[in-house]
Amino acid sequence: MSTMYTMYTLVISLTLILSLTSAAPPVVDAPAGRMSGVLLEATQVRAFYNIPFAEPPTGALRWMPPVAKGVWNGTMALGESKAIGCPQRCFLPPHPCPPTTSEACLTLNVFAPLAASNAPVMIFMPGGHFQQGLADVPVYNGQYLANATGVVVVTINYRLGALGWLVTDELEGNFGFLDQQLALKWVADNVAAFGGNPSRRTLMGQSAGAGSLAAHLIAPSSAPLFEQAVVMSSTIGLAISNPKYGAQLGALVMANMSCKTTECMRGKPVASVLEAEYASQSHLFVDHPLSVFLPWNVNKAGPVPDNQLTAMRAGKVQRKPMIMGNVANEGVIFIYDAVQHPLSKTEYEAIVAGVFGLHAPRVLDLFPGNVIDSRVPMSHLATYYVMICPQRYAMEAMAQNAPVYAYLFDHPWSFARSGWGANYTFCFHQVCHGSGLPFMFSVVRGPSPAEPVFTPDELELSEQMLAYWGNFAHSGNPNSGPFAPSAAWPSFDAPGKPELIFQTAGEGGIHPVDNFAATACDYFDSIGY
């Protein structure tokens, strides 16, 4: 009787606590203003969605540096995920695409553990070819990462496509880069109110977000905005835009908008900008052939003094602890998107000759054509020449001055059918670009029977990744901190230039490998990128 009464009392008390929690959303008083969020009870993480860090870049502010959002009066309600992306036409797999878009998109999201106090901060910049995607989507839901690691997680939006990266005779471009800088400044000024430590910030980026991060690493004005970095599937193998190429593309955009001035373009509806953006970017510039894979990019101008790879190799880079890595089949998604039919061996060899010139015979020795479908070797070639090898080339230089930890994620999803969707069937058995993200954010937990779920091995892989990333956020070393990963992660400056391979236990587990991809990468290093 006594025991039953005690249990009954506990149940009633817990119910009352939960109802009070639901009735009283978390409120934060920050320098930017007072804001209310929502307590995600399963993880005890407070979420604040779509916090504006800049004024909407519309009208006269279109193609201008972002203007910081002024302090607001009253309490801004930010407890609802609205998934509003910057203007785009999204052809990504289903989960990173926004249901709605608006130019009033310069917002960020904060996920803070309820008990956070002077906690490390992780700031994530999403990818999407510099022209697609957004931060407020399920795949970047920061609550599990925040809960598991005890960090404050911030995810940010920035302008995309022509609206974010247009270069003309009047415009230097890099508006998306400036948006990112302003978001980082907002974090520095406000994150303490959420329990974060503004002096322990890890900047993370994937794909275009990683290419942006690489630009922040060489931009002097970004140096005070973060202390360490996680660079995932960086695009540094595709040289950033130079003013000449940027202006060529910009001229096409203006012509397709029937405009000769920026003011004319500012007067056009956003649909006209998108139409001109997509009509212009398919043009192949002979002196910049790989631009077809990444037409919008950081521009070498203003705050960005050089090409990221060139600057990193020359040591003109901030000396900060870094994690840098790739997934095993990076090139598949790019090649199969660009070439939507089987590629003959003759066609493949002609493309390789056009890109590599006199070096083509040796490249074809390393990546020979396939008589059935040469998109397969072309995907491998793109994986190494555009992604893995340039990053390795950069790490060799950077590891001489600061700790660098290299990795390769090599596990195809068990939930591939629901994760990649009907338009990306070629990724069902491949470790495609972006494959590591659900594991780093640990979001595939199947809250309902209709949703995908990790296998037990995948859940363990995700939890191991959280341990390494969490330690790095706390200490700048993935081996040292509050968590105990299963294997030591040697730094890249050790003999053999080791990389940590992330696989499930049934595939070989998490283990270091020396001299990964050395044959191909040593050759590409010798001919340049």
Side-chain angles (χ1 to χ4, degrees), residues 372-387:
I372 298 174
D373 186 355
S374 281
R375 287 181 298 179
V376 176
M378 179 171 276
S379 297
H380 293 318
L381 172 56
T383 295
Y384 287 90
Y385 183 68
V386 175
M387 308 292 282

Side-chain angles (χ1 to χ4, degrees), residues 125-287:
M125 299 186 297
H129 300 80
F130 289 96
Q131 62 180 147
Q132 303 173 80
L134 76 161
D136 180 19
V137 288
V139 72
Y140 309 136
N141 183 337
Q143 66 169 312
Y144 304 105
L145 177 59
N147 172 258
T149 61
V151 305
V152 175
V153 177
V154 182
T155 61
I156 68 173
N157 283 329
Y158 52 93
R159 278 174 280 182
L160 303 169
L163 290 167
W165 309 95
L166 182 69
V167 177
T168 70
D169 291 341
E170 298 178 74
L171 303 173
E172 281 191 337
N174 289 341
F175 303 105
F177 183 86
L178 296 173
D179 296 341
Q180 294 163 359
Q181 283 192 325
L182 185 59
L184 295 176
K185 290 173 184 174
W186 191 97
V187 172
D189 294 338
N190 291 276
V191 78
F194 298 88
N197 181 351
S199 298
R200 171 61 72 181
R201 296 159 297 177
T202 301
L203 184 57
M204 307 189 297
Q206 186 268 343
S207 190
S212 299
L213 201 168
H216 287 289
L217 284 166
I218 67 169
S221 55
S222 293
L225 301 178
F226 60 102
E227 284 69 49
Q228 49 202 39
V230 178
V231 183
M232 297 171 281
S233 298
S234 150
T235 56
I236 58 174
L238 292 173
I240 65 174
S241 294
N242 57 62
K244 177 184 175 183
Y245 165 70
Q248 287 176 312
L249 183 58
L252 283 177
V253 171
M254 295 184 76
N256 281 315
M257 292 179 70
S258 300
C259 283
K260 295 184 178 179
T261 66
T262 305
E263 288 307 308
C264 170
M265 292 193 296
R266 289 189 178 122
K268 298 284 187 176
V270 71
S272 296
V273 180
L274 291 177
E275 185 177 348
E277 173 185 320
Y278 280 84
S280 304
Q281 68 186 40
S282 60
H283 183 89
L284 179 63
F285 295 103
V286 175
D287 59 343

Side-chain angles (χ1 to χ4, degrees), residues 438-514:
F439 291 79
M440 191 198 79
F441 281 97
S442 202
V443 293
V444 188
R445 293 173 173 268
S448 75
E451 296 185 20
V453 63
F454 284 139
T455 65
D457 274 358
E458 286 176 327
L459 183 59
E460 174 62 21
L461 177 60
S462 176
E463 290 177 348
Q464 287 291 309
M465 289 182 70
L466 290 171
Y468 288 113
W469 265 245
N471 279 346
F472 186 74
H474 282 270
S475 70
N477 183 333
N479 303 293
S480 177
F483 310 106
S486 60
W489 190 341
S491 60
F492 190 73
D493 65 341
K497 303 171 187 173
E499 299 199 20
L500 198 66
I501 309 299
F502 284 97
Q503 295 177 318
T504 62
E507 297 164 326
I510 298 172
H511 58 281
V513 169
D514 286 347

